[in-house]
Amino acid sequence: MQLPYVYCVTKYDPADRDEHGHYTGTEDTISDHGEIEAAYLQTIDAFAVETGIDRLAVREPQVPSLAHFGLERPLEDFGLDGLLPTGLAGFHDGAEVTLDIGLELVRRMLRDNGAWCRLEAEGTFAVHVGWDQYVYISSSRPCEEALARTRELGLFPGRMDASPYGFEAEEDGGQRPGDDNFWADLHRAVANGSAGILEEMYLEGASRWHHVTGDTVDTIRARVAPRARLAVWAPLSSDIDAVLGALPAEGLVEGVWQDSEGRIHSAIADENDFPELRAQMSSACAAALLSVYADERAPLFTAVMPDNDGVLRARWQT
């Protein structure tokens, strides 16, 4: 749902832009950890209070996967340990947080050294943090008092038609619910030998892998994170030499392997990391190489977990 009032809030004075709109002033693109950062948080708080919300839902949460591109040192546990009651486990799509915790999540996003997400109150309020300290706030109300407060704090609000960081579904994407039918299909695929591992994408950029047998399907289902995306894959190969021999000369691949205790591991590597990946996989009981490129990555079937009431509210697609 597109909210009627959308504002871009920045620390960049419009007077310091050239004829092409490029900023020519002296403000840095990273957080000052001080007055300006505090001004952003006070601004968001003012909009939220005027909108009448005190809780926010985490939507489409993500963490860095291949590399960290922020200019600040990345935080351990993505800055969530000590912030959320259950740390990383509590950071999932649909998780509800207080406004105070939401503002602390925004602080981490402003510093670009931890987790990222959209924060929303459905049909009422939303805030997204973009690159270079641009913050996008949407509300069901015009929030004139909050706009005045934003200017008092030294920031510059501008009206927009829509946030560039609002969620947009992929045209060719799809959603199958991870319901009883999905798990029954998984049971059958395991029984006939076509399926052997399950990828649980509990955050954008983070996955857990499960070795699936007829005896473990129900246990895995009970432990899957809320609104996780699931991908079912063929069994791993016990021919480790053949798997390692299929490593390309260059490029990115994901190695997935099972250790002697039955645990599944994975690592994304390029040609510079292949020696380490070979060492990790050489003692595995079974392994596989998977493409990391979307048009080449083809699991047997996929699903998105519905909520406990059976309703599929997650917006991301498989």
Side-chain angles (χ1 to χ4, degrees):
M1 175 182 177
Q2 175 63 50
L3 294 171
Y5 300 97
V6 183
Y7 303 97
C8 176
V9 176
T10 80
K11 61 184 177 181
Y12 307 113
D13 191 334
D16 295 327
R17 293 187 181 275
D18 62 20
E19 65 274 17
H20 304 292
H22 300 146
Y23 180 68
T24 59
T26 58
E27 288 289 350
D28 206 334
T29 57
I30 62 175
S31 176
D32 68 343
H33 293 225
E35 290 184 4
I36 296 175
E37 180 182 274
Y40 274 117
L41 300 183
Q42 291 174 57
T43 289
I44 297 166
D45 181 70
F47 274 92
V49 169
E50 190 168 350
T51 303
I53 63 103
D54 59 5
R55 301 189 72 83
L56 292 163
V58 171
R59 302 309 311 266
E60 294 81 43
Q62 60 183 261
V63 294
S65 56
L66 298 178
H68 173 71
F69 295 105
L71 297 178
E72 300 195 25
R73 182 186 298 275
L75 294 173
E76 186 176 352
D77 293 323
F78 309 108
L80 300 172
D81 189 30
L83 176 60
L84 301 176
T86 55
L88 185 60
F91 189 60
H92 59 79
D93 190 78
E96 192 173 90
V97 299
T98 64
L99 178 57
D100 287 343
I101 291 178
L103 292 173
E104 287 303 314
L105 284 170
V106 170
R107 187 191 303 277
R108 285 148 179 76
M109 290 185 269
L110 286 169
R111 296 181 183 184
D112 196 19
N113 62 353
W116 188 91
C117 67
R118 298 177 178 88
L119 289 166
E120 300 178 5
E122 186 175 3
T124 307
F125 182 84
V127 57
H128 318 307
V129 179
W131 291 106
D132 298 338
Q133 305 278 286
Y134 285 83
V135 174
Y136 302 88
I137 303 173
S138 303
S139 176
S140 58
R141 303 178 182 179
C143 297
E144 297 293 345
E145 293 182 9
L147 285 169
R149 178 62 176 152
T150 302
R151 297 183 183 99
E152 289 174 1
L153 290 166
L155 300 179
F156 303 93
R159 184 80 182 268
M160 303 184 69
D161 292 331
S163 165
Y165 291 86
F167 179 81
E168 291 187 10
E170 299 177 15
E171 291 184 2
D172 58 350
Q175 281 186 313
R176 175 187 179 180
D179 55 13
D180 291 344
N181 290 331
F182 167 83
W183 294 97
D185 284 349
L186 179 56
H187 262 292
R188 284 189 288 270
V190 170
N192 66 30
S194 61
I197 53 174
L198 177 73
E199 181 184 11
E200 174 198 353
M201 293 160 276
Y202 60 98
L203 297 172
E204 183 70 42
S207 293
R208 283 186 284 262
W209 291 85
H210 307 276
H211 177 217
V212 186
T213 68
D215 295 330
T216 62
V217 171
D218 293 336
T219 301
I220 293 170
R221 180 180 184 178
R223 294 177 178 174
V224 165
R227 302 188 182 181
R229 287 167 292 170
L230 307 175
V232 178
W233 296 89
L236 301 176
S237 171
S238 59
D239 190 344
I240 304 302
D241 290 339
V243 172
L244 293 178
L247 279 169
E250 60 182 16
L252 282 172
V253 297
E254 182 167 14
V256 182
W257 67 96
Q258 182 179 3
D259 65 24
S260 59
E261 297 182 0
R263 294 172 299 194
I264 306 294
H265 307 268
S266 73
I268 296 175
D270 63 14
E271 60 274 11
N272 297 317
D273 305 315
F274 286 170
E276 182 179 354
L277 183 62
R278 286 180 181 275
Q280 291 176 308
M281 297 177 67
S282 61
S283 60
C285 299
L289 297 177
L290 303 178
S291 174
V292 300
Y293 304 107
D295 57 348
E296 300 175 357
R297 195 173 175 92
L300 300 177
F301 52 96
T302 63
V304 180
M305 287 299 292
D307 291 345
N308 290 334
D309 59 5
V311 177
L312 185 55
R313 297 186 177 89
R315 296 182 300 209
W316 45 26
Q317 297 170 312
T318 54

